[in-house]
Amino acid sequence: MLRKKVFAGLAILSVGALALAGCAAGDSGGGNTSTGGASSAPTAEALPLVGYEAVAYDDLADGGTLNLSVNSSPTDEGSWNPNHALAANVDVQNLLEPTLGNLGTVEEDGSWAPNPDYATSMELTSESPQVVTIKLNDKAVFEDGTPITADDWKSTLVALQGAESGYEVVPSSIFAAIGSIDVVSPTEFTVSFPEPYADWGNLALIPVLPKAINENKDDFNTGYAAKPVPSAGPYVIDKIDNDAKIYTMKPNPNWWGQKPKLESLTFKVIAQESLPQAYANDEVDALEILTPDALETAQTKAGAVVERSGGVTWAHVTFNGTAEPFDDVNVRKAVAMAIDRETIARVANEPLGAPATVQGQWTFMPGQAGYVDTFDEKVGSDLDKAKALLEESGWTNADGKWTKDGKTLTFAVTVPAGTQSNINRALGVQDSLKKLDIEVTLNEVPSENYFTNIDAKDFQAVTFGWQGTVFPIASAETLYTPADSPQNYPGITDDRLADLWKKANAELDPEARIKIANEIDEVIADYMPSVPIYPYPEVVAVDEKVANYGTATFQSNDWTLIGYTK
């Protein structure tokens, strides 16, 4: 399944890249729609923001079925509720996306705008106190025809604020920042922030749920473990086949907006290693290309078109800071200094014709305003310094091994079985650490258990990826603080971060805010919960008649425009 962006102010896991982005993606080269090989790859600067040519609505055929893939379903993960913690997974959000209703959309350049199907306007109407006023489209309804009102939006936000009262929610700093939500009328409500909150636009990208679900905690938490919440989008779930792992959608008969072109839409759970062959066999109509073999398969399929764009997913190595050996900051830093990030990036991307750019931050992506290479400035690659840090922590090196208190310094990297890009990154870590006399092993687990293990902190080190957002400062907070945040997989933090993020989230001046964000990255570099490795572009093959679907750096999907050319 494509790592299509989930751009609420939420940090979303991607295995595919697994999409937490668990794999190494790459670029196949040759321009927006070329099927050419790596030799014609564009440079990083030349990668477009959208990889496909837009096709006008009237030039699309009526009907047809689009077959797509995911690595895991909402049933597999445990929730069809897009706002539930178990739905904080790219595959789940991708599958649910055609059924979701959001106040806003993300544009090609990464800016956001009100979504006229749901909101006629969404404006900051006061800065002191900070108040956002939302006026709703009075034609919007849930799939049974019940109007989507301000009460539904209010109750959705209140539920998402309810983590301390037992609501199991996808975390985001915006929920704690909200002071009050006031209904003005069925089609208007306001959201007030007691302190300035710069990323208030996050409100535009949170899916709405009916008030009845939001006000029943048990229903919110467990009522949709195996069934969908009512659709608020252009498609509705038509059939759930958990045995075959095929999920079928049809156009929403009560949809009030532009009529979807497709007759049906299917999502099939297919193991990542099986996807290239499934694409070659016409089981699916799109393939995210993550390996040279997948690229070759795509290029040999008649009618396949390879698309490419920049991406906002970045690969990393994350340490379990709550257990040996990574409960020692010096060990974390020493390993970070020894990892050959450049070589790992080349191995991942150059075989696909992609530039081997390294990721140097924990907040911004290369090319984003505010990005600097914090890792290189504050950490860098230095085997001598890495050895000194280990010695400082009491480790001694004899006979090519580091020992302390009778224990040898070794660790395992947990990877999802069959996901070669994750495995390749782990092998790169293994090769790198040989130079520091640290033995690294690979612990392969079934791909369906991979994130379960990560959630349970049943790992020493893992290498997946984080899928980005247009609100990177606010959305990154829960990955690093507090220590017990559900998405803080290292399980550690630095006491300086909470105040810095509070300052950043309250700073409305963009330049001042970026300065604070870079201070945050310096603190993260100081305690090293993870090692940023590389960003990867998105490379996708789609059947030639598929229109308005594929790869884009930021832009939201418009499911009413996705279909087939005439």
Side-chain angles (χ1 to χ4, degrees):
M1 178 61 193
L2 311 187
R3 286 188 314 281
K4 197 69 192 94
K5 306 305 173 290
V6 182
F7 278 114
L10 313 174
I12 301 296
L13 304 180
S14 162
V15 134
L18 273 176
L20 288 171
C23 326
D27 189 3
S28 50
N32 292 10
T33 56
S34 165
T35 56
S39 62
S40 57
T43 65
E45 292 76 17
L47 289 173
L49 292 174
V50 177
Y52 53 83
E53 299 285 344
V55 179
Y57 183 82
D58 290 341
D59 292 331
L60 298 174
D62 293 322
T65 296
L66 182 64
N67 295 298
L68 302 175
S69 68
V70 286
N71 296 128
S72 182
S73 75
T75 299
D76 293 329
E77 298 299 326
S79 185
W80 287 75
N81 174 356
N83 294 330
H84 189 273
L86 294 177
N89 177 286
V90 169
D91 289 288
V92 172
Q93 295 288 331
N94 282 342
L95 188 152
L96 294 177
E97 188 184 47
T99 72
L100 302 181
N102 307 93
L103 292 168
T105 61
V106 180
E107 305 296 310
E108 180 176 336
D109 64 358
S111 62
W112 68 270
N115 184 341
D117 287 326
Y118 302 93
T120 58
S121 67
M122 184 175 177
E123 299 176 346
L124 186 65
T125 51
S126 172
E127 290 191 5
S128 184
Q130 187 173 344
V131 179
V132 179
T133 299
I134 299 101
K135 296 182 179 180
L136 302 175
N137 183 338
D138 61 6
K139 295 181 176 62
V141 296
F142 290 106
E143 66 178 87
D144 65 356
T146 302
I148 300 173
T149 69
D151 283 327
D152 296 304
W153 288 104
K154 176 179 179 177
S155 66
T156 294
L157 294 173
V158 169
L160 287 166
Q161 290 180 295
E164 291 186 0
S165 60
Y167 279 81
E168 299 165 1
V169 302
V170 179
S172 173
S173 61
I174 191 171
F175 305 136
I178 293 172
S180 63
I181 306 145
D182 298 297
V183 173
V184 178
S185 73
T187 58
E188 184 176 344
F189 67 102
T190 62
V191 179
S192 301
F193 297 87
E195 298 180 6
Y197 186 78
D199 280 342
W200 59 270
N202 276 329
L203 294 169
L205 302 170
I206 296 168
V208 67
L209 295 179
K211 179 180 178 181
I213 295 174
N214 296 319
E215 292 187 338
N216 185 322
K217 181 172 61 179
D218 292 337
D219 206 24
F220 183 98
N221 287 343
T222 62
Y224 296 89
K227 65 178 182 180
V229 297
S231 172
Y235 286 87
V236 298
I237 305 293
D238 186 39
K239 184 178 181 181
I240 293 176
D241 188 338
N242 287 319
D243 293 328
K245 295 189 179 294
I246 298 176
Y247 306 90
T248 307
M249 299 182 187
K250 65 180 181 181
N252 183 348
N254 283 317
W255 175 248
W256 58 97
Q258 179 173 263
K259 181 182 177 182
K261 284 290 187 176
L262 293 170
E263 179 182 354
S264 62
L265 178 62
T266 69
F267 289 86
K268 305 175 182 181
V269 176
I270 301 175
Q272 194 171 89
E273 63 270 23
S274 302
L275 272 175
Q277 193 58 49
Y279 180 66
N281 294 343
D282 291 325
E283 296 173 43
V284 292
D285 302 317
L287 169 67
E288 182 180 23
I289 296 171
L290 303 171
T291 67
D293 287 345
L295 175 60
E296 182 178 358
T297 297
Q299 289 175 328
T300 57
K301 181 180 178 180
V305 176
V306 176
E307 304 173 350
R308 9 184 117 61
S309 75
V312 291
T313 300
W314 56 283
H316 55 87
V317 174
T318 283
F319 304 122
N320 182 349
T322 67
E324 295 180 343
F326 295 121
D327 54 351
D328 183 337
V329 64
N330 282 349
V331 174
R332 298 195 299 272
K333 285 185 174 182
V335 169
M337 290 175 182
I339 293 175
D340 188 342
R341 296 154 63 237
E342 290 81 5
T343 296
I344 294 173
R346 287 200 302 271
V347 170
N349 291 342
E350 285 185 350
L352 303 181
T357 305
V358 293
Q359 174 76 17
Q361 268 214 354
W362 291 263
T363 304
F364 300 111
M365 298 293 295
Q368 247 179 338
Y371 178 85
V372 294
D373 194 340
T374 306
F375 187 94
D376 189 56
E377 290 182 5
K378 298 295 181 180
V379 184
S381 299
D382 191 329
L383 285 178
D384 289 336
K385 188 173 180 180
K387 293 173 184 177
L389 286 170
L390 294 178
E391 290 169 352
E392 183 181 312
S393 284
W395 294 93
T396 58
N397 193 330
D399 302 321
K401 294 181 180 180
W402 292 93
T403 59
K404 177 182 177 182
D405 300 330
K407 296 180 180 179
T408 300
L409 180 54
T410 65
F411 67 92
V413 181
T414 298
V415 296
T419 307
Q420 195 59 47
S421 48
N422 292 65
I423 293 170
N424 286 347
R425 277 202 303 274
L427 290 172
V429 173
Q430 184 182 66
D431 288 343
S432 299
L433 269 294
K434 288 178 182 177
K435 298 177 183 178
L436 192 58
D437 292 334
I438 296 176
E439 181 184 4
V440 178
T441 57
L442 272 61
N443 174 32
E444 290 195 39
V445 300
S447 59
E448 62 268 23
N449 296 340
Y450 183 55
F451 291 127
T452 303
N453 287 19
I454 294 173
D455 284 333
K457 291 186 172 56
D458 183 14
F459 68 91
Q460 290 180 296
V462 287
T463 173
F464 54 92
W466 284 112
Q467 181 161 350
T469 164
V470 292
F471 304 108
I473 299 174
S475 65
E477 179 175 358
T478 59
L479 308 188
Y480 304 103
T481 186
D484 60 356
S485 166
Q487 291 183 308
N488 184 346
Y489 296 121
I492 53 176
T493 191
D494 187 296
D495 291 340
R496 292 171 287 176
L497 289 179
D499 285 342
L500 283 170
W501 247 299
K502 185 177 181 180
K503 286 174 61 179
N505 290 333
E507 179 56 69
L508 298 181
D509 178 77
E511 291 187 7
R513 192 162 187 251
I514 284 172
K515 184 177 179 181
I516 299 169
N518 285 331
E519 290 181 46
I520 288 171
D521 269 270
E522 291 176 6
V523 171
I524 295 173
D526 199 35
Y527 80 99
M528 195 60 63
S530 60
V531 183
I533 305 293
Y534 57 84
Y536 36 86
E538 296 194 0
V539 185
V540 173
V542 297
D543 291 349
E544 61 184 343
K545 283 190 168 293
V546 174
N548 300 324
Y549 181 80
T551 178
T553 307
F554 300 111
Q555 184 171 283
S556 301
N557 278 322
D558 182 345
W559 286 95
T560 69
L561 272 174
I562 292 172
Y564 291 90
T565 55
K566 292 179 179 178

